[in-house]
Amino acid sequence: DIVMTQGALPNPVPSGESASITCQSSKSLLHSSGKTYLNWYLQRPGQSPQLLIYWMSTRASGVSDRFSGSGSGTDFTLKISSVEAEDVGVYYCQQFLEYPRTFGAGTKLELK
Amino acid sequence: QVQLRESGPGLVQPSETLSLTCTVSGFSLTSYGVNWVRQPPGKCLEWMGVIWGEGNTAYNSLLKSRLSISRDTSKSQVFLKMNSLQTEDTAIYFCARDNYGSHFDYWGQGVMVTVSS
């Protein structure tokens, strides 16, 4: 199985500052199609996860442009510019290259 | 609009079988896959399995011997059945729509299942 490893944030993050969350995969997620099968989700407290980014850097419909995804085949970053109160929660990366679809352990963002 | 809603018993006895239903609206089960994902209290997300639009399935190998996913397209419902439940299976169970093999674009609100005698 592909192992997804997420980094921690130096919480709490001051409101208005930027935050970067890292994720590393044990195998390259670059597909033969040229797309990288890495997704990001945010799970706000008490809610189900919501899709933020797919194919490593494509924002999902309705997602603020304060969120951006980047990376290579195995190392990825989700950047949140100007953190707001609604950004609080746990962020998960997920690989979609192979079964089983595996998630990282999550990175918690707290606001100062 | 696209919606998914999980339903099922909140409490299951150890060694018994869990049966959950995911009722969808706003899309056809013959066009999109539906996944099951679970989350033990305070822990991270675990993918369980998927049923595709064509009706074929894929399962997490760790659960495959106990898990079955099926559907009734006429009722827009997807079913999860998992036997031999143990306390470690206590979790929130989510269903999520699979967007053509690239990401989960819509999720249900989840249903909490507690395995306890």
Side-chain angles (χ1 to χ4, degrees):
Chain A
D1 297 357
I2 298 177
V3 177
M4 306 298 292
T5 303
Q6 292 187 230
L9 275 174
N11 282 315
V13 178
S15 178
E17 295 285 301
S18 65
S20 291
I21 300 170
T22 61
C23 173
Q24 192 171 51
S25 60
S26 61
K27 177 179 178 177
S28 175
L29 302 183
L30 178 61
H31 188 262
S32 55
S33 65
K35 299 186 189 302
T36 301
Y37 278 60
L38 185 281
N39 304 324
W40 289 98
Y41 301 86
L42 163 61
Q43 186 174 32
R44 296 187 174 101
Q47 296 186 16
S48 54
Q50 68 167 97
L51 178 68
L52 295 175
I53 302 283
Y54 61 97
W55 291 336
M56 188 175 70
S57 59
T58 302
R59 265 190 307 276
S61 176
V63 172
S64 169
D65 59 6
R66 296 184 297 103
F67 291 90
S68 62
S70 63
S72 62
T74 58
D75 293 276
F76 311 98
T77 302
L78 175 71
K79 183 176 179 181
I80 312 166
S81 62
S82 188
V83 169
E84 300 178 358
E86 66 180 16
D87 303 334
V88 165
V90 180
Y91 291 79
Y92 293 96
C93 60
Q94 177 204 36
Q95 66 81 19
F96 235 82
L97 186 69
E98 295 180 353
Y99 290 110
R101 311 300 199 201
T102 45
F103 294 87
T107 300
K108 191 171 188 178
L109 186 150
E110 298 172 339
L111 196 65
K112 189 173 183 180
Chain B
Q1 70 277 30
V2 172
Q3 291 185 325
L4 300 93
R5 186 179 75 251
E6 305 88 348
S7 59
L11 182 65
V12 179
Q13 302 280 331
S15 79
E16 293 196 341
T17 296
L18 172 66
S19 295
L20 297 176
T21 299
C22 175
T23 303
V24 310
S25 59
F27 69 98
S28 171
L29 291 178
T30 58
S31 297
Y32 288 87
V34 171
N35 295 261
W36 287 95
V37 176
R38 68 178 180 176
Q39 184 173 38
K43 295 189 178 180
C44 62
L45 302 164
E46 179 185 31
W47 178 80
M48 301 179 72
V50 60
I51 185 164
W52 289 104
E54 298 81 2
N56 49 330
T57 55
Y59 299 110
N60 189 322
S61 59
L62 295 176
L63 302 171
K64 190 173 184 177
S65 63
R66 301 195 288 141
L67 182 62
S68 174
I69 298 175
S70 60
R71 68 182 185 181
D72 183 335
T73 57
S74 67
K75 294 183 179 178
S76 293
Q77 293 181 324
V78 175
F79 309 108
L80 176 148
K81 288 191 189 303
M82 190 163 69
N83 59 31
S84 303
L85 252 62
Q86 301 301 319
T87 55
E88 309 87 80
D89 296 311
T90 293
I92 300 173
Y93 287 75
F94 298 98
C95 56
R97 191 178 81 162
D98 196 305
N99 192 306
Y100 299 112
S102 73
H103 52 274
F104 299 161
D105 56 356
Y106 291 91
W107 295 65
Q109 84 285 357
V111 59
M112 180 67 202
V113 175
T114 301
V115 181
S116 175
S117 56

